[in-house]
Amino acid sequence: MEYTKPLAKLIEYFQKLPSIGPKTAQRLALHVIKMPENEVKNFAEALIEAKTTISYCNICFNMSSSNPCEICSNPTRNKNIVCVVAETKDLMAIEKTNEYNGTYHVLQGLISPIDGIGPDDIRIKELLYRVNQNDIKEVILALNPSVEGEATSLYLNKLLKPFNIKITRIAFGLPMGSELEYADEMTLTRALEGRIEI
Amino acid sequence: MEYTKPLAKLIEYFQKLPSIGPKTAQRLALHVIKMPENEVKNFAEALIEAKTTISYCNICFNMSSSNPCEICSNPTRNKNIVCVVAETKDLMAIEKTNEYNGTYHVLQGLISPIDGIGPDDIRIKELLYRVNQNDIKEVILALNPSVEGEATSLYLNKLLKPFNIKITRIAFGLPMGSELEYADEMTLTRALEGRIEI
């Protein structure tokens, strides 16, 4: 199969994106050819603008085009609570609930010895510095319920204990709308362990 | 949820692409921010280059940056056989088999009265002109086995009959590796109808 060259190049670029296979890459590239020219130009500009203007917040390491980021510089957010997440996408997921009014700390990864990621490779010392320098009353650990997430939570808990602040972890258990019958053993175990009085 | 502005814009553009929902758009945009800057620039340039240099071949209406396209101008391709497809992506699927050495004719759609697409809205007259002006010995109809594909095939068969050329249609039947037991009735019916002597 011989794609015309500029098309082959575009397909290749789409294919480098996560979760985009050869079929989807081809579909996206063909769609681009059919888009109005100014739309394509705007898309291309949006790519470059996002890449060149967005960096990491010096306080919480969230992605932002301003520094400090929109959340850290928002006077209505509660600076005494810090929610620790692994990645910006986790922060975004929590923001979408509209239920949290504190600030964040994006670790930019999780401890994972298998992948060669140790405590010094993620933003742990920056978190400790923040807790040490500011009047922080609660740290919420909101890391994935995976081996890496659990290990990182345990490690952080140990390091944060000496500061004498409240350390909490988000609840693990049955997702809303799910059926107990189909829950896996690990989830059910955690749901039982995490039972609360009503 | 307040995305930082350039990120929101990029997510919006990704979301306009086919089969990209809000979650995938967010993942792709976050990935772009983490890509090396020159990679992002190359991607943006590839978008614009593909859009501005690719148009339709004047002979077969395949997408190409050259005119006639790579296939029509390839001296080793058999110009006496024309395979009629609905879209460039169908042409690409056939090219990937490496089994076909003729030329194509991309209709750029199928007759679909429900969607208001009549015979004049797709490249049918261009096909008839081609068959009339050139020494074409066989037209292969390779349209989807859908209502629209069948209707278009019937219509084309009627128009092409007077030219006294061979008109064929690709086979419909059981896909390779499938199981007869799980085939739907329509497919089995077509497989029986299309049985060939062995």
Side-chain angles (χ1 to χ4, degrees), chain A residues 139-152:
Chain A
V139 170
I140 304 172
L141 301 177
L143 306 177
N144 280 340
S146 62
V147 176
E148 291 80 13
E150 301 276 88
T152 310

Side-chain angles (χ1 to χ4, degrees), chain A residues 15 17 29 38 43 46 51 57-58 66 70 77 89 92 99 101 116-117 134 141-142 149 158 170 176 183-184 190 193:
Chain A
Q15 225 183 119
L17 298 176
N38 69 320
F43 181 24
K51 176 62 200 173
C57 170
N58 273 346
S66 60
E70 289 87 344
R77 308 282 303 218
K89 59 175 185 256
M92 287 173 172
E99 289 290 329
N101 194 37
I117 303 172
N134 299 280
L141 301 177
K158 209 179 75 185
I170 53 164
M176 299 309 290
D184 62 288
R190 299 304 292 261
E193 281 171 7

Side-chain angles (χ1 to χ4, degrees), chain A residues 4-7 12 14 16 36 45 66 72 75 87 89 108 135 175:
Chain A
T4 188
K5 220 181 138 223
L7 188 61
E12 193 190 304
F14 271 121
K16 283 184 188 169
E45 276 163 24
S66 60
C72 286
E87 300 284 354
K89 59 175 185 256
Q108 300 186 334
D135 181 24

Side-chain angles (χ1 to χ4, degrees), chain B residues 114-126:
Chain B
I114 294 175
D115 303 313
I117 303 172
D120 294 339
D121 300 318
I122 59 178
R123 305 286 184 178
I124 290 180
K125 53 184 177 307
E126 289 86 348

